[in-house]
Amino acid sequence: MSSAKYHDFRTRVIHECQSPADWEGATLPPIYQSAANLHQTAENLSDTFAGKTGDHIYMRLTNPTNQVLEKKLASLEGGAGAVATSSGMAAITNACMALLRAGDEFVTGNSLFMSSYVLFANIFKKYDITARMVESTDMAALEEAINDKTRFIYLETIGNPKMDVPNLGKAAEIAHRHGLPLLVDSTLATPYLCRPIELGADIVIHSTTKYFSGHGDATGGVVIDSGKFNWQNDRFPDLKPFIDRKGPLAFLDKVWREHHINFGTTQAPLHSYLTILGLDTMALRMERHLANAHKVAEFLTTRPEVKWVRYPGLADSPSHQTASGQFNGQGFGGVLSFGLGSKEECFKFINSLKMVYNLANLGDCKTLIIHPYSSQYLSFDEQTRQKLSITEDMIRLSVGIEAVEDICDDISQALDTI
Ligand SMILES: Cc1ncc(COP(=O)(O)O)c(C=O)c1O
């Protein structure tokens, strides 16, 4: 059955790359839980190593369940191919490392997920790689930071937890003017809300741990290649062998062949299966996440205990206009951040919640809350926290799909205690 006839994302997310005929009629792909694959002849194994058969060799390289997920996610983002990885961080590491050599630079925003910041600012530094960080929404600063050593621009569709939205179309224009690809971590948006490739991005990355699986039951990541960037340019002489082998998918081949395989960032097929299962309800969940988050954001603005709310859906958000232009018109994301009077008030508030879960995740169907300053950013120095807008009074809320009245009631009774 072909999925080409379905145009609406809500249908495609369910039916895309479905192949029950190949799965003994099952409506979900089998979990191929096997570390290695049998070959009938030595010739066939040799041909497979030579890339002539498309058969599987060893789970660290490829796995049939993972391939279903890869095809599905590539298609949903409008990409030409994908590599599924064991976590979102594995996807980010692989995508960046595939392009970086000692002495290289890249340009990124100062609104980054915590581990991405650590990877870029601390770990890459050890290998003489410089991440030039500017205000994520400042396109002029982004362009000014580009020089001869720059290899790519990297942004988040919605910055976590700053909730700012860079103009991806403009960032792509700038990148392409300088012969550079634009890499986008679109975890907080999902392709339901925003498809960066349609706006000009070249590579899209996700933590599938969040909205794709949606139930807090699987970790995973994915690197999706648009197949549109022209790597035959002076900045990328090292891509030549990959262009010779895979043409427009040279970058993805490099990610897979050099990094995914050798760093061992394999996705477990059970996690791919759970993610595929999660995709069946993703559009429905996103619809509710977006509607609930908007209502919760508006509700928070009515409470005197809440000093500020950051959510691109609010008309006074500096990112509202950009988000309105590049999202799908259905909403502005399921995550928001807000401020109370102090760290003590944040703790009191969180400790008073009865339904909302206090944990370090987002994109789950349950509403989740965290005080980033004292948890994910605990070991950061004050200057870095300030740079990343992580303040003591800040709370991050990932709004779930429960009845919004129950979410607001829980928040309301907890606010009453401070
Ligand atoms: C925006 C963003 N990117 C990447 C990641 C990393 O994903 P994972 O935890 O699957 O490695 C996260 C995790 O919270 C995230 O929020």
Side-chain angles (χ1 to χ4, degrees):
M1 260 186 274
S2 160
S3 49
K5 59 189 170 183
Y6 303 119
H7 298 299
D8 194 305
F9 184 86
R10 293 169 298 183
T11 310
R12 292 182 55 226
V13 75
I14 295 168
H15 287 284
E16 202 85 347
C17 308
Q18 276 290 101
S19 197
D22 299 327
W23 307 333
E24 310 282 342
T27 57
L28 283 158
I31 304 165
Y32 285 93
Q33 191 67 38
S34 178
N37 303 73
L38 180 66
H39 291 257
Q40 296 304 327
T41 64
E43 287 80 1
N44 191 72
L45 184 54
S46 175
D47 284 348
T48 305
F49 266 93
K52 291 181 189 161
T53 69
D55 292 344
H56 299 278
I57 296 173
Y58 188 65
M59 200 198 283
R60 178 158 46 76
L61 280 56
T62 59
N63 172 277
T65 315
N66 294 351
Q67 283 184 336
V68 175
L69 179 66
E70 289 168 343
K71 281 191 189 137
K72 202 156 171 145
L73 295 183
S75 170
L76 293 173
E77 275 293 0
V83 172
T85 56
S86 51
S87 69
M89 281 318 300
I92 293 166
T93 306
N94 283 346
C96 294
M97 291 295 279
L99 292 176
L100 294 167
R101 304 153 306 176
D104 282 342
E105 296 189 2
F106 63 102
V107 180
T108 185
N110 58 6
S111 175
L112 288 169
F113 167 60
M114 177 267 299
S115 288
S116 302
Y117 177 84
V118 173
L119 178 70
F120 294 177
N122 304 346
I123 299 173
F124 283 168
K125 201 171 167 191
K126 290 198 281 187
Y127 302 95
D128 191 24
I129 291 164
T130 305
R132 294 206 175 271
M133 292 185 187
V134 300
E135 190 67 34
S136 311
T137 51
D138 185 343
M139 294 296 121
L142 208 69
E143 185 156 26
E144 265 170 40
I146 295 171
N147 62 34
D148 288 349
K149 294 181 183 170
T150 311
R151 298 273 283 184
F152 57 84
I153 295 178
Y154 181 103
L155 292 169
E156 291 184 9
T157 306
I158 305 174
N160 175 16
K162 204 170 163 189
M163 302 297 122
D164 52 350
V165 178
N167 188 321
L168 296 182
K170 278 201 184 132
E173 239 177 76
I174 293 168
H176 297 161
R177 194 159 52 238
H178 293 270
L180 300 168
L182 172 65
L183 276 62
V184 176
D185 175 349
S186 208
T187 299
L188 264 64
T190 82
Y192 176 84
L193 185 63
C194 178
R195 287 186 283 282
I197 291 172
E198 289 174 7
L199 300 168
D202 302 287
I203 312 296
V204 177
I205 300 159
H206 286 282
S207 163
T208 61
T209 315
K210 318 297 177 194
Y211 293 107
F212 288 94
S213 63
H215 301 87
D217 55 357
T219 59
V222 67
V223 182
I224 299 163
D225 189 342
S226 68
K228 291 181 182 157
F229 188 75
N230 180 10
W231 300 101
Q232 248 155 345
N233 108 30
D234 291 348
R235 288 190 189 259
F236 301 101
D238 50 322
L239 265 283
K240 171 92 173 65
F242 302 92
I243 297 169
D244 293 345
R245 200 172 8 240
K246 289 286 178 181
L249 283 179
F251 166 77
L252 200 67
D253 190 45
K254 197 165 193 286
V255 166
W256 178 75
R257 194 174 295 278
E258 270 190 8
H259 296 85
H260 181 61
I261 288 178
N262 298 310
F263 286 177
T265 51
T266 312
Q267 174 59 298
L270 172 63
H271 289 211
S272 280
Y273 169 85
L274 290 169
T275 308
I276 292 164
L277 184 61
L279 285 173
D280 277 350
T281 55
M282 190 183 89
L284 201 55
R285 284 186 283 107
M286 287 310 292
E287 219 174 284
R288 180 74 76 83
H289 279 299
L290 305 183
N292 280 1
H294 209 137
K295 284 187 192 148
V296 171
E298 280 171 349
F299 164 72
L300 287 170
T301 62
T302 67
R303 291 292 305 225
E305 303 85 349
V306 177
K307 308 299 175 211
W308 53 266
V309 182
R310 282 197 202 113
Y311 181 64
L314 295 176
D316 64 355
S317 157
S319 288
H320 184 65
Q321 209 182 342
T322 307
S324 305
Q326 66 189 26
F327 293 171
N328 71 350
Q330 304 295 310
F332 296 88
V335 182
L336 52 91
S337 52
F338 61 96
L340 299 179
S342 63
K343 178 181 161 186
E344 290 65 37
E345 284 191 12
C346 291
F347 274 36
K348 189 142 194 244
F349 167 71
I350 290 174
N351 292 340
S352 305
L353 288 163
K354 296 192 164 114
M355 181 188 79
V356 175
Y357 282 6
N358 173 213
L359 55 78
N361 197 10
L362 59 86
D364 192 310
C365 54
K366 302 170 186 75
T367 300
L368 313 175
I369 203 155
I370 193 160
H371 182 249
Y373 186 96
S374 65
S375 54
Q376 296 147 313
Y377 297 85
L378 185 64
S379 60
F380 283 49
D381 61 55
E382 203 48 42
Q383 202 187 355
T384 311
R385 282 169 168 153
Q386 263 176 29
K387 188 162 86 179
L388 300 172
S389 305
I390 306 298
T391 48
E392 274 194 293
D393 64 343
M394 172 201 253
I395 282 180
R396 188 189 74 191
L397 185 71
S398 170
V399 181
I401 62 172
E402 305 96 336
V404 72
E405 295 77 11
D406 286 330
I407 302 170
C408 289
D409 280 356
D410 196 23
I411 291 172
S412 183
Q413 65 79 25
L415 285 173
D416 287 343
T417 67
I418 64 176

